[in-house]
Amino acid sequence: LTSESYEMTKGNLKEGHTIKVIFVGTRTNVGTSDNLFKVVVTDAEGKNVTSSYQIIKTYGQLVVYDE
């Protein structure tokens, strides 16, 4: 089980900047785990400018139920 949806709830990126969210969370057995991800922001030249932003992550949950 994976989920690759996200929402930016506050603020905006500077002009020419793009955000990439890399999901690393996965779940295959019954149970619950955080849907972990990494965030990378780059400028128009592809330079990593993530440190220019205050990014607060809120992880969702991946849940696999027993039948």
Side-chain angles (χ1 to χ4, degrees):
L1 173 67
T2 59
S3 176
E4 295 186 357
S5 65
Y6 71 91
E7 179 180 7
M8 193 164 88
T9 59
K10 186 175 179 182
N12 295 299
L13 295 176
K14 295 178 183 176
E15 187 173 331
H17 289 192
T18 57
I19 189 168
K20 183 173 183 178
V21 180
I22 304 156
F23 289 88
V24 296
T26 184
R27 182 114 201 137
T28 56
N29 297 321
V30 173
T32 303
S33 58
D34 287 337
N35 190 22
L36 303 176
F37 59 88
K38 301 174 188 178
V39 177
V40 178
V41 181
T42 53
D43 65 13
E45 288 79 43
K47 179 182 172 189
N48 187 330
V49 294
T50 307
S51 63
S52 299
Y53 292 88
Q54 179 184 11
I55 298 173
I56 300 170
K57 300 179 208 174
T58 304
Y59 298 121
Q61 296 289 300
L62 299 171
V63 181
V64 176
Y65 297 98
D66 191 10
E67 289 188 61

